Amino acid sequence: MTDELKNQIKAKQESEGFIKVTDSPVLSLTSEQKAVLNKKGNILYNQGDIESARRIFVTTGYSDGLTRVGDAYMQKEKGIKALKQYVLAHNVKKSEPVYEELAKIISIILKED
């Protein structure tokens, strides 16, 4: 992927124009409350209730949980949903390959015109 394309994607991400990233952790939660919620989220995730776990992890800002939810989406071939979780988790290592795949798809579409 070219540096120019990377910069354009990053600018879109920062402006929230490419993927809505306004979901943010609830700042009023105490560390103890976050720990309890994250434990519940982990239980739900392990039981296969990915959506309920995702909502908890977004609420607490638990990046490891968000990354695991993103991985679960990738296994189900839901790249855009996975990308959002990786962005919320600030996981560049996981989000970059998704961006690159999207860039390839866009390039193919543009070449077909």
Side-chain angles (χ1 to χ4, degrees):
M1 182 169 18
T2 68
D3 288 336
E4 181 182 343
L5 185 55
K6 283 183 182 180
N7 290 337
Q8 288 175 353
I9 290 171
K10 186 175 181 180
K12 281 289 191 184
Q13 179 182 350
E14 289 171 355
S15 71
E16 299 178 329
F18 188 66
I19 294 177
K20 180 181 172 245
V21 291
T22 57
D23 296 333
S24 59
V26 176
L27 299 176
S28 61
L29 291 174
T30 65
S31 296
E32 294 80 16
Q33 290 170 321
K34 286 182 183 181
V36 169
L37 286 170
N38 288 337
K39 184 175 180 180
K40 177 67 175 173
N42 285 325
I43 291 168
L44 291 167
Y45 180 89
N46 291 331
Q47 291 174 344
D49 190 352
I50 304 301
E51 289 305 311
S52 294
R54 181 194 61 79
R55 286 193 298 273
I56 290 172
F57 297 149
V58 167
T59 299
T60 63
Y62 182 43
S63 61
D64 288 343
L66 291 166
T67 296
R68 286 187 286 124
V69 169
D71 291 345
Y73 286 147
M74 286 301 288
Q75 288 177 352
K76 294 178 182 178
E77 298 183 5
K78 296 181 178 183
I80 298 295
K81 288 180 88 170
L83 180 58
K84 179 175 180 182
Q85 304 317 302
Y86 296 149
V87 169
L88 289 172
H90 305 286
N91 191 328
V92 175
K93 182 180 173 187
K94 295 278 186 159
S95 63
E96 281 293 320
V98 180
Y99 283 136
E100 289 175 11
E101 195 61 33
L102 288 171
K104 287 178 192 175
I105 292 168
I106 292 168
S107 293
I108 291 168
I109 291 169
L110 291 175
K111 286 179 184 177
E112 290 179 358
D113 286 343

